[in-house]
Amino acid sequence: MVTGSCLCGKVAYEIEGKVGDIIHCHCVTCRKAHGSAFSSVAAVSDDDFTLSGREYLKSFESSKGKRRFFCSNCGTQVYAKRENTQHVILRLGSLDDDPGARETKHIWLSQKASWYAIHNNLPEYAEFGN
Ligand SMILES: [Zn+2]
Ligand SMILES: [Zn+2]
């Protein structure tokens, strides 16, 4: 089992199953939401994801049908969710443990911060890298 939590600890989660491939997203909404050069994310099935402290979660619809969930007390981005999907898009900075999965690619390079240079050999995509 893999666990994670927000900075203040009021929101926490447990993952029983597999954490999907890790993707680094450089889109401007991730940059703004996380206050950082990019966000690192992976898909986790709804069935494998158990959340506590839900009453502290707030969400923001950053694009149509996609909400970003964060702790209303400390501001940690915990996960995002698209309508009509059976998985959450976990924000990996909130993990307490090694998720097992490894980084696979960079996406949304078309919106990458000009002041950040990527220093690895992962594939890079202008938008979604599917
Ligand atoms: Zn918190
Ligand atoms: Zn993004």
Side-chain angles (χ1 to χ4, degrees):
M1 189 179 66
V2 176
T3 64
S5 59
C6 66
L7 180 57
C8 75
K10 293 192 183 302
V11 178
Y13 56 81
E14 295 178 356
I15 299 166
E16 285 290 350
K18 183 174 170 291
V19 174
D21 288 344
I22 295 172
I23 297 167
H24 303 304
C25 183
H26 296 259
C27 81
V28 68
T29 51
C30 280
R31 292 200 285 114
K32 294 275 186 182
H34 293 255
S36 60
F38 57 91
S39 72
S40 302
V41 307
V44 174
S45 168
D46 288 344
D47 293 338
D48 295 338
F49 188 68
T50 305
L51 190 73
S52 61
R54 195 176 291 275
E55 64 272 26
Y56 290 98
L57 274 185
K58 279 194 172 177
S59 70
F60 176 71
E61 189 173 28
S62 61
S63 50
K64 184 99 183 86
K66 179 184 178 180
R67 302 198 76 87
R68 294 169 182 265
F69 290 83
F70 58 93
C71 175
S72 61
N73 190 50
C74 69
T76 296
Q77 296 282 328
V78 180
Y79 66 94
K81 181 83 178 164
R82 281 186 193 283
E83 282 176 3
N84 306 315
T85 63
Q86 271 65 59
H87 65 277
V88 299
I89 309 165
L90 191 68
R91 292 1 207 164
L92 299 182
S94 63
L95 283 169
D96 296 324
D97 304 311
D98 186 331
R102 286 295 176 261
E103 55 183 354
T104 60
K105 61 186 170 185
H106 293 270
I107 64 171
W108 282 100
L109 273 287
S110 57
Q111 297 181 0
K112 184 179 79 64
S114 59
W115 45 265
Y116 178 76
I118 296 170
H119 296 290
N120 62 35
N121 295 317
L122 297 176
E124 300 177 8
Y125 301 92
E127 296 185 0
F128 293 110
N130 297 316

